[in-house]
């Protein structure tokens, strides 16, 4: 295993199993691409101040948005407001980067097919986990509370807000925040903040999902040096989850119960 790949495993988590897994992956898939994202101390401090404030504001707005009834004007307005908050904070914090990905031929290209494939693979794992969660009442109830927004909402508006927030989260968490946490363990630190922001939803299913997906997105950011790869993975995963997860829980009466939705 190359020193770069070993450092990647160690910087994520001191877990021998994960290190062995990384050792089996091709170098072009996990080695960091060259990049120069250096900025002045003043710019770095400003980025930290902006991301700290936006993290709190966005998390608070996220919690409020998921307290609204499905298919209500306030729900759509607030969820779009969350997306706007993340994007505005990301842009205001400083420069953002799209990133590059190595190819097996040791050339660089913009990330495209590999991130999409990663989103498909992540969906497959989550779909399998959802089959198990259906048999666990607390998780089944938590997932059902989220899926009410898809089942009872306007399909076009639900899709728009879902995809807008997916891109916006990558702009902020893997763009601005990742750069703001510094060079020591940025994957773990940015993922931890991402999960803490999700806690504002008060939904165990969303919080649990944020842990592996946050790590995956942050790892993509570390390898590629930009937000394009995690954004494409996030969009692919979101589209598939939105398309195939609601039918899996369609036989649950509470998904369609508007009276239950009013108690959210």
């Amino acid at each position: 295993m190359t020193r770069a790949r070993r450092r990647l495993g160690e910087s994520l988590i001191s877990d021998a199993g994960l290190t062995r897994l990384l050792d089996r992956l091709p170098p072009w898939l996990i080695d960091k691409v060259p990049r120069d994202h250096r900025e002045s101390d003043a710019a770095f401090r400003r980025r930290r101040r902006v991301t700290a404030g936006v993290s709190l504001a966005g998390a608070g707005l996220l919690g409020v948005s998921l307290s609204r009834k499905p298919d209500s004007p306030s729900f759509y307005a607030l969820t779009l407001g969350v997306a706007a908050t993340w994007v505005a904070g990301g842009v205001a914090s400083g420069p953002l980067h799209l990133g590059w990905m190595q190819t097996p031929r040791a050339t660089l290209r913009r990330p495209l097919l590999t991130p999409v494939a990663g989103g498909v693979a992540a969906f497959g794992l989550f779909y399998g986990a959802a089959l198990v969660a259906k048999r666990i009442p607390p998780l089944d109830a938590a997932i059902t509370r989220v899926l009410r927004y898809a089942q009872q909402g306007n399909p076009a508006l639900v899709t728009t807000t879902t995809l807008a927030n997916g891109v916006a989260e990558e702009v902020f968490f893997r763009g601005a925040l990742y750069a703001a946490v510094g060079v020591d363990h940025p994957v773990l630190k940015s993922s931890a903040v991402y999960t803490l922001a999700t806690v504002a939803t008060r939904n165990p299913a969303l919080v649990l999902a944020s842990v592996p997906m946050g790590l995956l997105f942050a790892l993509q950011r570390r390898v590629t040096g930009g937000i394009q790869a995690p954004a494409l993975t996030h969009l692919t995963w979101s589209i598939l989850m939105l398309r195939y997860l609601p039918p899996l829980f369609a036989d649950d009466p509470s998904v369609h119960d508007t009276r239950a939705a009013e108690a959210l």
Side-chain angles (χ1 to χ4, degrees):
M1 181 168 59
T2 65
R3 283 179 295 177
R5 295 167 74 188
R6 187 177 300 279
R7 285 196 301 269
L8 174 59
E10 292 173 350
S11 67
L12 285 174
I13 188 169
S14 56
D15 180 14
L18 178 58
T19 303
R20 287 195 297 270
L21 174 61
L22 293 173
D23 194 28
R24 297 190 182 98
L25 297 175
W28 60 269
L29 190 60
I30 64 171
D31 283 350
K32 291 175 61 176
V33 299
R35 82 285 303 268
D36 182 7
H37 295 171
R38 288 174 295 181
E39 54 188 12
S40 67
D41 290 342
F44 181 67
R45 289 193 296 269
R46 180 181 182 279
R47 188 188 290 275
R48 282 195 159 182
R49 290 195 299 270
V50 171
T51 53
V54 173
S55 295
L56 295 174
L61 196 57
L62 176 63
V64 173
S65 69
L66 288 183
S67 69
R68 295 298 186 260
K69 292 189 295 184
D71 204 29
S72 63
S74 61
F75 167 71
Y76 297 122
L78 285 167
T79 50
L80 288 176
V82 173
T85 300
W86 296 140
V87 171
V91 173
S93 72
L96 301 173
H97 308 275
L98 290 177
W100 298 90
M101 176 167 281
Q102 296 189 61
T103 70
R105 296 181 180 181
T107 59
L108 296 179
R109 59 174 173 79
R110 294 294 188 189
L112 183 59
L113 296 180
T114 301
V116 171
V120 173
F123 164 74
L125 294 175
F126 270 80
Y127 192 87
L131 293 173
V132 176
K134 278 177 63 71
R135 302 176 180 274
I136 305 175
L139 287 179
D140 179 71
I143 295 174
T144 299
R145 287 200 300 273
V146 176
L147 294 182
R148 287 182 186 135
Y149 291 96
Q151 292 283 14
Q152 300 176 25
N154 179 290
L157 290 176
V158 170
T159 300
T160 298
T161 56
T162 298
L163 299 186
N165 274 275
V167 173
E169 287 178 5
E170 298 316 309
V171 168
F172 182 73
F173 289 100
R174 261 62 64 175
L177 181 69
Y178 189 98
V181 297
V183 297
D184 294 329
H185 308 293
V187 170
L188 289 178
K189 290 179 180 178
S190 61
S191 299
V193 176
Y194 182 59
T195 296
L196 287 174
T198 309
V199 170
T201 66
R202 302 182 298 278
N203 187 293
L206 292 178
V207 175
L208 287 174
S210 73
V211 175
M213 295 310 293
L215 287 171
L216 173 60
F217 298 145
L219 176 57
Q220 290 177 311
R221 167 64 171 83
R222 186 185 194 279
V223 171
T224 66
I227 61 175
Q228 181 169 319
L232 288 174
T233 297
H234 200 148
L235 286 175
T236 303
W237 176 73
S238 295
I239 290 171
L240 293 174
M241 293 285 280
L242 195 58
R243 170 63 180 85
Y244 293 104
L245 207 61
L248 184 62
F249 290 81
D251 59 346
D252 191 329
S254 65
V255 174
H256 308 279
D257 189 352
T258 56
R259 292 173 302 174
E262 292 175 356
L264 288 175

